[in-house]
């Protein structure tokens, strides 16, 4: 629409006037530029043949001139008029250059720095917000509320729009909206309910993103609707009610009291597996016929500990995010680890009919998750080594340690940095566990999702052999498992979840042997391997002390006491070998030599 005010370029002035009104309505920061352009064009007495010539006026740049060119081209097509040709020289002699000296040598123009167009990082907060806003269309009369925009944008972002990636901070992916508002890519209107929509510049960025992704707005909207729909599984098996939480396990996120669930004194599975004969030195391995689970009779599920919470006010974050990604976890209080995978039978009574119990079989994968601050705390109070000891006794072949490298105070971290690096190296080299580092909880959730999908492909297409619980005891389980793995290294043997939980709960019940080994390991440089070798030769602490006392208190006897362990273990190979200095140190502690 042409402006009614007298002007040498009424058509161009009318279009600029429309943009001034639109910027004022949207409360856009670009209104100042549009006002300057409008005033300069209105006061200019020169008639321009092409919008590119307007660049010599205040307020007009290449971008605004290109928009006017597009508008003029559209106007000419609608009215059947010829489009003016772009002149080779856009500067008109005599306009804004009256004082220039024709005889003087022209000063070389400084090459302007080309400003790169803004393109947000892939799957960042700004990237997701722009794609989310494209779903309402360019001609939408109203924008989107914050809640609507978050629902549309979340599938395109790796970070959460509602919960901070670090519980100690308050920044979410929604903070990217401030950047988009400052760059005038998004405008907001309305109080108190704010609504958001893309500006013309924002739509240009959106088109660049869509061009890169090779998606049209209609395809993008359809894809977003598909991603927002929860996955539907055919006849999902019913989830069992979670058993009560045992009091013996410390959470890996925050130490907090769970008042909703009454904590019992012992595990509900404590009596499923017998303790076995503790008087006999050797362990007799049972013979049995394994229970066979055929492919198609079970499905693989992720089991997540109920104490894996994000914060006191956000307990279900991990469960909800995993469900959004197509992995609905089974929530229960785990006796050991923070997550594991089970094969759940379609027939809930199949295992009970064949010599086992329950309807779940524990697979050879378990996850222990540690936030960096919790890892430091567990190293300081000794829980770290105790948890690794319990994981080793669980019989699970593949142990994954996830360390979330959350932001910490630099002074606090530097104090324990060496201990953390040593603990990580020991976990990988000595224990042989796989260690995965993540930056935040969202990365951990994505890792668990990928692991679940991978294990479903790996296990659901083959048969599983289950050891009947009736032949198991807490003493023969590990030797039996080691024997089966040596005999048939390519075939896996598994146990039911109640049997696994029973033996994991028994690992908290310290036997005399366990106490003896821990007493030995209190001496610096006495590792688990060395302690086991000592225990093999002197079965009990009483027998160990008596072995020292038989040498007497003479000078020769004291010398033989110092070298007693070295004489028995000085010729061993590798980590089991005990040096003479360590033998002297142990003698000082155990016999006060």
């Amino acid at each position: 629409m042409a402006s009614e005010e007298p002007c040498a370029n009424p058509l161009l002035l009318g279009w600029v006037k429309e943009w001034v009104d639109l910027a004022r309505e949207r409360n856009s920061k670009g209104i100042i530029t549009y006002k300057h352009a409008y005033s300069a064009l209105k006061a200019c007495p020169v008639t321009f043949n092409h919008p590119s010539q307007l660049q010599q006026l205040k307020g007009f740049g290449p971008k605004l001139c290109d928009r006017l060119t597009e508008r003029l081209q559209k106007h000419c097509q609608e009215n059947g008029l010829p489009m003016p040709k772009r002149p080779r020289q856009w500067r008109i002699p005599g306009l804004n250059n009256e004082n220039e000296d024709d005889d003087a040598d022209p000063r070389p123009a400084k090459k302007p720095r080309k400003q790169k167009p803004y393109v947000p990082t892939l799957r960042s907060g700004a990237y997701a917000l722009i794609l989310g806003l494209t779903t309402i269309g360019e001609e939408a009369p109203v924008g989107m509320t914050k809640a609507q925009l978050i629902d549309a944008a979340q599938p395109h972002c790796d970070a959460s729009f509602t919960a901070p990636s670090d519980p100690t901070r308050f920044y979410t992916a929604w903070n990217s909206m401030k950047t988009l508002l400052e760059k005038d890519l998004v405008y907001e209107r309305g109080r108190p309910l704010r609504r958001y929509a893309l500006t013309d510049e924002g739509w240009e960025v959106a088109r660049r993103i869509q061009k890169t992704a090779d998606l049209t707005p209609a395809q993008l909207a359809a894809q977003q609707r598909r991603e927002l729909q929860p996955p539907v599984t055919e006849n999902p098996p019913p989830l069992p009610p979670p058993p009560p939480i045992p009091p013996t396990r410390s959470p890996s996120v925050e130490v907090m009291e769970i008042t909703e669930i009454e904590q019992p004194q012992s595990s509900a599975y404590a009596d499923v597996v017998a303790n076995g004969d503790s008087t006999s030195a050797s362990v007799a391995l049972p013979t049995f016929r394994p229970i066979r689970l055929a492919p198609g009779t079970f499905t693989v599920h992720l089991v997540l500990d109920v104490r894996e919470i994000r914060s006191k006010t956000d307990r279900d974050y991990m469960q909800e995010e995993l469900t959004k990604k197509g992995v609905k976890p089974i929530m229960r209080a785990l006796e050991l680890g923070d997550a594991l995978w089970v094969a759940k039978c379609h027939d809930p009574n199949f295992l009970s009919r064949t010599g086992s119990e329950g309807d779940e079989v524990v697979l050879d994968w378990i996850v222990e998750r540690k936030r960096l601050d919790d890892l430091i705390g567990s190293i300081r109070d000794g829980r770290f080594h105790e948890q690794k000891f319990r994981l080793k006794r669980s019989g699970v072949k593949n142990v994954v340690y996830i360390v979330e490298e959350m932001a910490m105070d630099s002074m606090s971290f530097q104090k324990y940095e060496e201990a953390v690096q040593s603990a990580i190296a020991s976990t990988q080299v000595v224990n042989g566990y796989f260690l995965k580092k993540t930056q935040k909880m969202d990365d951990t959730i994505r890792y668990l999702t990928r692991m679940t999908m991978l294990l479903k492909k790996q296990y659901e297409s083959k048969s599983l052999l289950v050891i009947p619980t009736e032949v198991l005891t807490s003493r023969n389980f590990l030797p039996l498992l080691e024997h089966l793995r040596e005999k048939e290294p390519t075939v896996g043997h598994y146990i039911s979840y109640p049997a696994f939980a029973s033996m994991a709960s028994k690992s908290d019940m310290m036997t005399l042997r366990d106490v003896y080994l821990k007493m030995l390991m209190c001496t610096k440089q006495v590792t688990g391997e060395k302690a086991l070798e000592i225990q093999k030769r002197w079965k009990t602490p009483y027998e160990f002390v008596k072995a020292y006392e038989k040498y007497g208190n003479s000078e020769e006897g004291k010398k033989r006491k110092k070298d007693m362990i070295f004489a028995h273990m000085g010729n061993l190979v590798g980590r089991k070998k005990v040096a003479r200095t360590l033998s002297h140190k142990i003698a000082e502690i155990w016999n006060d030599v």
Side-chain angles (χ1 to χ4, degrees):
M1 171 177 121
S3 173
E4 297 178 358
E5 302 177 19
C7 174
N9 304 275
L11 191 62
L12 300 178
L13 185 68
W15 292 335
V16 176
K17 181 70 165 59
E18 288 181 16
W19 295 338
V20 171
D21 296 339
L22 185 61
R24 183 183 293 109
E25 180 184 357
R26 293 179 174 178
N27 195 22
S28 172
K29 293 181 180 180
I31 189 173
I32 298 176
T33 302
Y34 288 126
K35 281 185 175 180
H36 287 162
Y38 177 79
S39 301
L41 182 59
K42 181 181 177 183
C44 182
V46 179
T47 302
F48 296 98
N49 298 323
H50 195 276
S52 61
Q53 297 174 315
L54 296 174
Q55 291 191 41
Q56 55 194 312
L57 299 182
K58 184 178 181 181
F60 286 92
K63 194 172 183 180
L64 187 55
C65 291
D66 289 343
R67 289 184 62 188
L68 284 170
T69 302
E70 293 177 3
R71 190 69 179 268
L72 179 61
Q73 188 173 8
K74 184 179 178 182
H75 172 77
C76 292
Q77 290 175 353
E78 291 175 352
N79 295 276
L81 301 175
M83 177 66 185
K85 293 184 178 180
R86 181 185 291 268
R88 293 184 179 180
Q89 183 180 7
W90 55 264
R91 179 175 292 276
I92 297 178
L95 182 63
N96 286 348
N97 57 353
E98 293 84 355
N99 299 326
E100 65 183 5
D101 188 2
D102 295 336
D103 298 332
D105 295 334
R107 186 176 180 180
K110 186 177 180 181
K111 188 176 180 180
R113 176 181 289 181
K114 187 176 181 181
Q115 189 174 5
K116 293 183 179 179
Y118 173 74
V119 178
T121 306
L122 180 68
R123 298 195 66 80
S124 64
Y127 174 91
L129 289 171
I130 290 176
L131 290 184
L133 287 170
T134 60
T135 58
I136 61 174
E138 194 167 357
E139 303 298 331
V142 293
M144 302 177 72
T145 64
K146 180 178 179 180
Q148 293 171 341
L149 181 52
I150 286 176
D151 289 340
Q154 187 61 72
H156 303 287
C157 185
D158 291 334
S160 173
F161 281 91
T162 55
S165 58
D166 185 351
T168 61
R169 306 196 173 208
F170 301 98
Y171 297 103
T172 66
W174 180 257
N175 289 85
S176 301
M177 178 57 76
K178 182 179 179 182
T179 302
L180 298 179
L181 291 171
E182 289 176 351
K183 291 184 176 295
D184 203 25
L185 301 178
V186 174
Y187 70 90
E188 62 176 356
R189 284 194 306 177
R191 293 290 187 278
L193 184 63
R194 301 184 182 184
R195 290 184 174 272
Y196 302 88
L198 291 174
T199 62
D200 294 330
E201 292 83 358
W203 276 105
E204 290 179 8
V205 175
R207 292 187 191 98
R208 286 199 295 269
I209 294 175
Q210 292 166 0
K211 185 178 179 181
T212 304
D214 199 22
L215 294 175
T216 64
Q219 291 173 332
L220 185 64
Q223 182 191 27
Q224 287 181 335
R225 285 193 294 270
R226 288 195 301 269
E227 291 176 342
L228 289 174
Q229 289 175 353
V232 180
T233 57
E234 296 182 2
N235 300 325
L239 300 182
I245 293 180
T248 56
R249 187 179 172 282
S250 58
S252 63
V253 183
E254 284 187 50
V255 178
M256 57 185 69
E257 296 181 0
I258 301 179
T259 56
E260 304 96 307
I261 305 173
E262 183 180 355
Q263 297 185 354
Q265 296 299 318
S266 61
S267 171
Y269 300 116
D271 299 327
V272 173
V273 177
N275 291 324
D277 185 9
S278 60
T279 59
S280 175
S282 60
V283 178
L285 299 182
T287 57
F288 65 94
R289 184 176 181 181
I291 305 168
R292 183 176 180 272
L293 292 181
T297 61
F298 62 89
T299 52
V300 173
H301 292 269
L302 170 67
V303 181
L304 189 66
D305 191 80
V306 293
R307 289 155 293 195
E308 287 303 292
I309 62 177
R310 197 168 185 282
S311 63
K312 292 182 180 180
T313 57
D314 195 2
R315 295 178 177 271
D316 300 327
Y317 181 77
M318 284 194 77
Q319 180 183 0
E320 292 172 353
E321 291 299 314
L322 284 166
T323 304
K324 288 178 183 177
K325 297 182 183 300
V327 177
K328 185 172 179 60
I330 300 174
M331 303 299 297
R332 69 172 59 135
L334 294 178
E335 302 283 354
L336 183 64
D338 296 317
L340 53 85
W341 286 267
V342 298
K344 191 172 183 65
C345 300
H346 295 166
D347 182 0
N349 299 319
F350 177 76
L351 291 178
S352 59
R353 292 197 305 266
T354 52
S356 192
E357 61 287 308
D359 62 347
E360 296 171 350
V361 175
V362 178
L363 302 178
D364 263 340
W365 292 86
I366 191 169
V367 172
E368 181 71 30
R369 171 177 165 260
K370 291 285 185 188
R371 248 176 36 181
L372 191 56
D373 55 347
D374 184 55
L375 176 62
I376 292 173
S378 64
I379 292 172
R380 292 173 60 187
D381 60 19
R383 283 186 294 116
F384 181 68
H385 299 288
E386 182 183 356
Q387 286 169 347
K388 289 198 296 183
F389 181 73
R390 293 182 63 202
L391 286 167
K392 186 175 181 180
R393 291 185 57 178
S394 69
V396 178
K397 190 176 181 180
N398 303 292
V399 179
V400 179
Y401 255 85
I402 297 179
V403 178
E404 291 180 5
E405 296 181 316
M406 56 165 286
M408 283 187 63
D409 178 54
S410 58
M411 295 298 293
S412 301
F413 179 67
Q414 287 177 2
K415 187 176 180 181
Y416 299 103
E417 184 176 8
E418 187 176 343
V420 169
Q421 298 300 331
S422 175
I424 289 175
S426 171
T427 301
Q428 294 175 293
V429 178
V430 178
N431 302 107
Y433 298 159
F434 177 77
L435 190 133
K436 171 71 175 177
K437 291 184 179 180
T438 60
Q439 296 298 320
K440 51 192 175 183
M441 181 179 280
D442 293 325
D443 296 338
T444 302
I445 292 170
R446 282 192 292 275
Y447 178 75
L448 292 176
T449 302
R450 292 194 299 268
M451 279 293 298
T452 304
M453 300 303 180
L454 178 66
L455 294 180
K456 287 175 79 71
K457 292 180 181 178
Q458 178 179 340
Y459 284 100
E460 290 183 354
S461 59
K462 67 178 185 179
S463 299
L464 299 182
L465 300 181
V466 184
I467 304 173
T469 307
E470 56 192 16
V471 303
L472 292 175
T473 66
S474 58
R475 279 179 57 80
N476 72 14
F477 172 61
L478 289 179
L480 176 61
L481 211 55
E482 185 177 354
H483 169 73
L484 292 172
R485 286 172 180 169
E486 290 178 358
K487 183 180 177 182
E488 300 176 286
T490 59
V491 179
H493 290 79
Y494 311 95
I495 59 175
S496 67
Y497 179 80
F500 171 82
S502 176
M503 284 185 284
S505 66
K506 292 178 189 297
S507 65
D508 286 336
M509 301 167 58
M510 302 289 289
T511 63
L512 174 61
R513 178 175 177 270
D514 297 332
V515 175
Y516 182 24
L517 291 173
K518 286 204 168 190
M519 291 169 66
L520 290 169
M521 291 174 66
C522 288
T523 305
K524 194 173 182 181
Q525 297 179 351
V526 177
T527 61
E529 291 87 349
K530 292 181 173 65
L532 284 170
E533 290 297 321
I534 294 173
Q535 193 270 336
K536 287 179 182 178
R537 289 160 174 78
W538 300 279
K539 301 296 182 183
T540 63
Y542 177 79
E543 190 177 330
F544 192 40
V545 173
K546 284 296 181 183
Y548 277 115
E549 291 179 352
K550 73 177 183 180
Y551 292 112
N553 294 321
S554 62
E555 289 299 323
E556 181 65 22
K558 289 182 179 180
K559 184 178 179 182
R560 295 182 67 181
K561 286 179 182 179
K562 289 181 179 181
D563 294 337
M564 183 183 77
I565 298 180
F566 176 73
H568 287 81
M569 301 173 57
N571 60 346
L572 298 180
V573 180
R575 300 176 61 87
K576 298 178 181 179
K577 181 179 179 179
V578 175
R580 191 185 297 273
T581 53
L582 181 57
S583 178
H584 292 182
K585 187 184 295 184
I586 296 172
E588 290 176 7
I589 295 171
W590 283 84
N591 200 59
D592 195 20
V593 177

